Amino acid sequence: MTEAEETITETIDGAEEVRDPLDGLVEKTRIDPGAPFTPEVLERLVALKKDDRAAFEKLRAQLKDAGGRVTALDEALAEESGDAGGRGPTEADILIDLAQAAELFHTADGTGFVDLDINGHRETWPIRSKGFRRWLARRFFEATQGAPSSEALASALNVIEAKAHFDAPEREVYVRVGGLDGRLYLDLADETWRAVEIDVTGWQVVDNPPVRFRRAAGMQPLPMPLRGGSVETLRSFLNLKADTDFVLVVAWALACLRDCGPYPVIVLSGEQGSAKSTFSLFCGRCLTRIPRPYAPCHERTATCSSPRAMDMCSPSTMYRACQRGFPTRSAGSPPAAASPCANSTLTRTRCCSTQPVR
């Protein structure tokens, strides 16, 4: 053996075995709770957390069972890794950060709203609505592959709503019909949130209307409008006594497309079987596409109805009455077919204010 080989052999024999600081750490912690806080152990734990998170979490659980102070250990590991934030962001902090991708605003009454960019189109939702909660939960899952707790979601919504109220601009939100700069906008309520823009020169379908709309419960999409039609086609579907009644119907329908009041209230009168229910159902679906238009039982209900109920139908309200002033058919029974007969429906219009009397 040469002299160099002898030197190498002696060096290997004299070298001490370098042990992993984590070997036997659980047993040491049972005796000494400060064992995990030594510099070499902290350095090794930081490396283990970065390289093998599953092994780190398993060791952390064992240290907790052995009586170790894992909360203080997390803070020490954060300081060792250079994270001055301590334990890191909470679920609520992550949700609030994700909401920054949306545009916040509020209405005059202080209600918070949010504009969401979804598949290339804008959607407007109240901050407390299910639509925004679903969007926020989905973004959280995409970021963390987990679900936020109900407490974290509630806390985040409180902060987001406060930011919308104090730090965001004020805007007006419409239902179905809105107006801006001499133009009217009719919400089609389709999946892409398109609207019909109407001005003195005509109409066109716009993808992102400048006004904001909210979707009330029960609203259904309107059909895509086509050019070349005539309002005279509507006459054959209505059981009217005279052409002058049809003029009133057209005037009332056009008034429903106005963005501000006062609005006319259409009044239908006729005997049983004169298709008053069919009339109101047909016109309501043409203008607002709801399952059944809001039809009050008597005139007092029409003038004292809530603004939400009026929004659900249209800016105006249909009032059906027989000669005695009461409806001739219950709301749950099927309407009669509209067929021309001697007992035609008489039509009148009355004016109501923009805000119903309470």
Side-chain angles (χ1 to χ4, degrees), residues 171-193:
R171 295 194 180 107
E172 191 168 358
V173 179
Y174 300 90
V175 177
R176 187 63 84 177
V177 179
L180 180 67
D181 298 333
R183 293 180 173 86
L184 296 176
Y185 294 90
L186 175 64
D187 183 18
L188 292 177
D190 59 359
E191 294 182 354
T192 57
W193 289 64

Side-chain angles (χ1 to χ4, degrees), residues 252 255-256 263-266 287 294 310 313-318 352:
W252 167 81
C256 290
Y263 298 103
V265 178
I266 191 168
L287 293 171
Y294 178 76
M310 295 180 71
C313 178
S314 64
S316 61
T317 304
M318 294 183 184
C352 69

Side-chain angles (χ1 to χ4, degrees), residues 179-223:
L180 180 67
D181 298 333
R183 293 180 173 86
L184 296 176
Y185 294 90
L186 175 64
D187 183 18
L188 292 177
D190 59 359
E191 294 182 354
T192 57
W193 289 64
R194 293 175 298 178
V196 180
E197 183 183 77
I198 307 170
D199 57 16
V200 294
T201 62
W203 60 269
Q204 62 177 341
V205 178
V206 293
D207 295 330
N208 290 310
V211 299
R212 268 64 175 178
F213 291 102
R214 67 177 176 88
R215 301 288 174 83
M219 285 182 58
Q220 299 178 15
L222 292 172

Side-chain angles (χ1 to χ4, degrees), residues 300-311:
R300 176 173 175 80
T301 306
T303 58
C304 298
S305 58
S306 66
R308 177 173 293 274
M310 295 180 71
D311 288 344

Side-chain angles (χ1 to χ4, degrees), residues 15-32:
E16 296 181 359
E17 182 182 358
V18 180
R19 302 186 60 185
D20 188 346
L22 301 182
D23 291 342
L25 181 61
V26 177
E27 290 74 14
K28 294 178 182 178
T29 303
R30 290 192 176 95
I31 302 173
D32 181 12

Side-chain angles (χ1 to χ4, degrees), residues 47-69:
L48 180 64
K49 183 178 180 180
K50 181 180 180 180
D51 299 335
D52 192 347
R53 185 61 181 266
F56 170 79
E57 294 294 341
K58 180 178 180 180
L59 179 58
R60 182 181 181 276
Q62 294 175 350
L63 293 176
K64 183 178 180 180
D65 295 337
R69 299 167 54 203

Side-chain angles (χ1 to χ4, degrees), residues 251-262:
W252 167 81
L254 292 176
C256 290
L257 301 179
R258 298 197 328 228
D259 61 324
C260 60

